[in-house]
Amino acid sequence: EPEVTQTPSHQVTQMGQEVILRCVPISNHLYFYWYRQILGQKVEFLVSFYNNEISEKSEIFDDQFSVERPDGSNFTLKIRSTKLEDSAMYFCASSDDVGQGVGGYTFGSGTRLTVV
Amino acid sequence: GESVGLHLPTLSVQEGDNSIINCAYSNSASDYFIWYKQESGKGPQFIIDIRSNMDKRQGQRVTVLLNKTVKHLSLQIAATQPGDSAVYFCAESPGQGGKLIFGQGTELSVKP
């Protein structure tokens, strides 16, 4: 079954540093997303991306965040100047044009970001 | 505002029993709902989904019920097994190709 892959699995960074989280969505999917999950809390939507532009973003996704699809396979989330409260699990997801059913909306295994 | 919430944060059941996990949602515009299972250190894993034009959908050992009148969603797991132990999230989708709004999660613990 096709997978969404994320790297690295764990990233430790110092406060104020820039981080880039990487994702390879499922190849025939058209919509790409980033979510985050603070330890013990629910999964929260950050941003959706379609046709090479942001289609929707949440209040969490402020000017410190950016996304990019630099080539035909990768989808990245950049945090310019990390804060302690950015520590969380970050999930990439992708969906096809229907976005439903098994494999229609798929999550990666996540990158655990720890800001120290 | 938009919110999806769960009635019970933890649920402990005996192996072989049936489990019921509940969820309330508040966005009347949502037309698609998904239940996800999340094991420790992993991403949400699709279990079963249901569209708003349905009341019930069955999968292998799992059933999702949707009550649009009271905006309630439930996940029933038959003959619960130790491998079912995980956190279960409901999620709603206000539209195609868009974001998912997740509930708080219920931790299911299955005792052998």
Side-chain angles (χ1 to χ4, degrees):
Chain A
E1 188 173 321
E3 293 182 338
V4 173
T5 55
Q6 291 185 241
T7 55
S9 57
H10 192 186
Q11 173 92 45
V12 181
T13 188
Q14 288 198 324
M15 189 169 53
Q17 295 296 304
E18 173 184 286
V19 293
I20 297 177
L21 309 183
R22 303 181 189 278
C23 169
V24 179
I26 292 174
S27 60
N28 64 339
H29 281 185
L30 303 175
Y31 299 84
F32 313 111
Y33 313 86
W34 284 100
Y35 290 79
R36 81 170 186 190
Q37 185 180 31
I38 295 171
L39 185 64
Q41 299 187 20
K42 65 182 180 182
V43 178
E44 299 174 288
F45 169 79
L46 292 179
V47 65
S48 58
F49 191 87
Y50 172 72
N51 200 25
N52 287 318
E53 61 182 21
I54 290 173
S55 50
E56 189 173 2
K57 60 183 180 180
S58 72
E59 293 178 352
I60 303 168
F61 195 88
D62 61 22
D63 291 343
Q64 292 300 310
F65 291 87
S66 63
V67 289
E68 192 178 26
R69 188 157 164 81
D71 52 42
S73 60
N74 291 283
F75 180 52
T76 62
L77 174 69
K78 181 193 291 187
I79 308 175
R80 291 188 182 82
S81 179
T82 50
K83 304 185 287 288
L84 293 176
E85 53 265 38
D86 292 328
S87 296
M89 196 78 167
Y90 288 81
F91 294 106
C92 175
S94 67
S95 69
D96 57 21
D97 57 350
V98 177
Q100 298 185 5
V102 177
Y105 203 120
T106 305
F107 283 80
S109 295
T111 293
R112 179 168 297 283
L113 177 65
T114 302
V115 182
V116 297
Chain B
E2 299 176 338
S3 69
V4 178
L6 292 168
H7 295 300
L8 297 173
T10 61
L11 178 64
S12 182
V13 300
Q14 286 292 137
E15 181 178 359
D17 287 352
N18 297 331
S19 303
I20 300 176
I21 301 172
N22 297 301
C23 175
Y25 67 94
S26 61
N27 190 338
S28 299
S30 292
D31 59 359
Y32 176 61
F33 305 87
I34 313 171
W35 278 101
Y36 284 97
K37 173 185 181 182
Q38 187 179 30
E39 295 172 294
S40 181
K42 296 185 179 180
Q45 178 186 356
F46 175 97
I47 301 173
I48 192 168
D49 60 355
I50 188 168
R51 299 182 186 180
S52 59
N53 61 352
M54 302 172 69
D55 297 322
K56 178 179 180 179
R57 188 153 190 244
Q58 287 185 292
Q60 188 176 16
R61 284 201 306 118
V62 294
T63 301
V64 55
L65 299 177
L66 175 64
N67 185 331
K68 294 180 288 295
T69 302
V70 295
K71 296 178 188 171
H72 185 267
L73 197 67
S74 69
L75 175 70
Q76 300 178 0
I77 304 174
T80 315
Q81 303 167 359
D84 294 327
S85 294
V87 177
Y88 290 80
F89 292 94
C90 63
E92 62 177 311
S93 173
Q96 184 171 306
K99 68 181 181 184
L100 294 179
I101 303 168
F102 280 79
Q104 198 65 35
T106 291
E107 182 172 8
L108 176 65
S109 176
V110 182
K111 295 177 287 187

